[in-house]
Amino acid sequence: MDHAADAHRTDLMTITRYVLNEQSRHPESRGDFTILLSHIVLGCKFVCSAVNKAGLAKLIGLAGETNIQGEEQKKLDVLSNEVFVKALVSSGRTCILVSEEDEEATFVDPALRGRYCVVFDPLDGSSNIDCGVSIGTIFGIYMAQDKDKASLDDVLQPGKNMLAAGYCMYGSSCAFVLSTGNGVNGFTLDPSLGEFILTHPDIKIPKKGKIYSVNEGNAKNWDGPTAKYVEKCKFPKDGSPSKSLRYVGSMVADVHRTLLYGGIFLYPADKKSPNGKLRVLYEVFPMSFLMEQAGGQAFTGKERALDLVPSKIHERSPIFLGSYDDVEEIKALYADEIKA
């Protein structure tokens, strides 16, 4: 047995240790935020375990059937939603929860309330579960003005007011990417320890990338600037090499690759979805927050994504996010269209 190697394994930067270190930089901190994050992390570990078993559950006839207690086995996205709602409420640090799965916001019982509002998509890309493609959880955290008088106005704020944002990707490994407004850090779940370990400290997106990511099946419905941009990616006029197309169709997977390798992710408005398809609060805002923290940009076709003020909790928006220079190019095309 290699004792030296085992000793080294206990000197790892776990996500708990990382968050406690961050907390110690704020002497006024009471540890509420740390407790909230640890509950989010626990929810992610639970969902990761459930996702890994999803195929097997189907194999032995569980999903959609009734178990011995007469309870129906829940679909994974419904289960994930319940896991996160329970984890967040039981933290005692939240007052409003907005989930992609629930039509209305959840107002936490006053006795269990805390200062934070959490917006989340419990299982993004869940239509990809059956084919083993990466899926994930996306979340953003706001601070309420007054937990006892919490209202929807506390979550209908521009993304730039978020305190923290992140996602957990359930793929070939389980990756947790987090920003508390001080850069972006990536953690990977070590299954033997059941702990997230810091594997990607201070992620910075390359200034320009070689990849574009968009659903080209919607091309006939695109507006002018999007069509021009994609044409430019494929047939550059300046002699530079063409960009490669990579599109998983699971936002967490596509954004994760964009963050690490650079490039641009586009989900534009089109004739079919004039307001875009992705939801502002729990898809566009958290991912835009992470992109900006990593040195990239996020743009809606009209403005900086994080300046957008949502009027409904499930509002949608177009989004272009990724490497700084690549987003600059699409911004210039939209500016040209306005001039024309």
Side-chain angles (χ1 to χ4, degrees):
M1 200 172 157
D2 188 344
H3 291 297
D6 281 350
H8 175 67
R9 288 185 72 207
T10 58
D11 186 32
L12 297 166
M13 180 60 80
T14 65
I15 196 160
T16 315
R17 184 173 160 192
Y18 170 80
V19 172
L20 286 168
N21 281 1
E22 284 293 295
Q23 184 189 319
S24 66
R25 292 176 39 201
H26 301 276
E28 73 289 356
S29 166
R30 302 208 309 260
D32 288 351
F33 188 70
T34 307
I35 290 166
L36 173 61
L37 271 176
S38 70
H39 279 250
I40 291 174
V41 166
L42 182 63
C44 290
K45 286 179 187 171
F46 187 97
V47 173
C48 179
S49 167
V51 165
N52 287 338
K53 292 185 200 132
L56 290 169
K58 198 161 226 147
L59 197 66
I60 51 178
L62 287 178
E65 293 199 3
T66 308
N67 67 10
I68 198 116
Q69 286 89 19
E71 299 168 337
E72 199 175 307
Q73 294 295 321
K74 294 194 175 67
K75 282 270 180 271
L76 213 46
D77 43 4
V78 178
L79 172 73
S80 306
N81 188 47
E82 286 187 10
V83 165
F84 279 103
V85 169
K86 285 185 175 138
L88 292 165
V89 171
S90 68
S91 73
R93 301 299 182 275
T94 57
C95 52
I96 305 177
L97 310 177
V98 172
S99 165
E100 191 262 346
E101 290 285 326
D102 297 326
E103 212 168 309
E104 303 291 330
T106 302
F107 287 84
V108 179
D109 180 341
L112 290 168
R113 273 189 193 176
R115 302 180 290 170
Y116 298 105
C117 310
V118 183
V119 293
F120 60 100
D121 185 343
L123 205 58
D124 184 71
S126 51
S127 61
N128 282 324
I129 292 167
D130 289 346
C131 59
V133 166
S134 297
I135 50 184
T137 299
I138 311 172
F139 66 91
I141 302 171
Y142 287 109
M143 171 88 81
Q145 294 275 311
D146 179 347
K147 66 174 187 184
D148 300 318
K149 295 183 187 146
S151 74
L152 281 185
D153 290 341
D154 288 310
V155 287
L156 295 175
Q157 297 189 56
K160 62 186 176 191
N161 294 357
M162 274 186 174
L163 297 180
Y167 60 81
C168 187
M169 183 177 75
Y170 315 111
S172 51
S173 60
C174 181
F176 189 93
V177 175
L178 173 70
S179 174
T180 53
N182 184 28
V184 181
N185 288 282
F187 302 82
T188 304
L189 185 66
D190 179 339
S192 65
L193 294 173
E195 280 281 12
F196 280 103
I197 309 298
L198 180 64
T199 48
H200 296 74
D202 197 20
I203 297 170
K204 289 280 176 256
I205 185 169
K207 199 157 187 303
K208 192 171 176 61
K210 297 174 184 162
I211 298 172
Y212 72 104
S213 185
V214 66
N215 182 352
E216 292 227 31
N218 294 330
K220 67 172 187 179
N221 296 318
W222 286 344
D223 62 10
T226 303
K228 274 185 201 154
Y229 181 78
V230 172
E231 188 69 7
K232 204 169 151 189
C233 289
K234 295 196 273 198
F235 305 102
K237 301 264 196 305
D238 58 2
S240 59
S242 305
K243 285 191 189 305
S244 292
L245 169 66
R246 296 282 184 274
Y247 188 71
V248 177
S250 179
M251 189 193 192
V252 174
D254 281 313
V255 170
H256 188 66
R257 183 200 56 250
T258 305
L259 194 60
L260 296 182
Y261 298 169
I264 187 167
F265 170 82
L266 311 86
Y267 210 119
D270 59 29
K271 290 178 196 138
K272 213 169 55 180
S273 313
N275 298 319
K277 190 93 181 284
L278 298 176
R279 269 65 55 106
V280 172
L281 275 183
Y282 40 79
E283 290 175 329
V284 170
F285 278 171
M287 294 312 203
S288 300
F289 187 92
L290 290 165
M291 276 300 163
E292 285 201 5
Q293 284 292 323
Q297 294 196 73
F299 177 63
T300 65
K302 292 187 178 136
E303 61 185 324
R304 172 191 176 208
L306 293 180
D307 287 340
L308 190 66
V309 184
S311 54
K312 303 193 296 286
I313 60 173
H314 297 299
E315 193 169 310
R316 297 172 191 263
S317 166
I319 186 67
F320 306 87
L321 53 77
S323 294
Y324 194 93
D325 289 355
D326 293 327
V327 178
E328 273 302 302
E329 279 182 42
I330 195 110
K331 280 163 80 173
L333 290 168
Y334 273 98
D336 290 347
E337 189 186 49
I338 292 164
K339 281 182 207 145

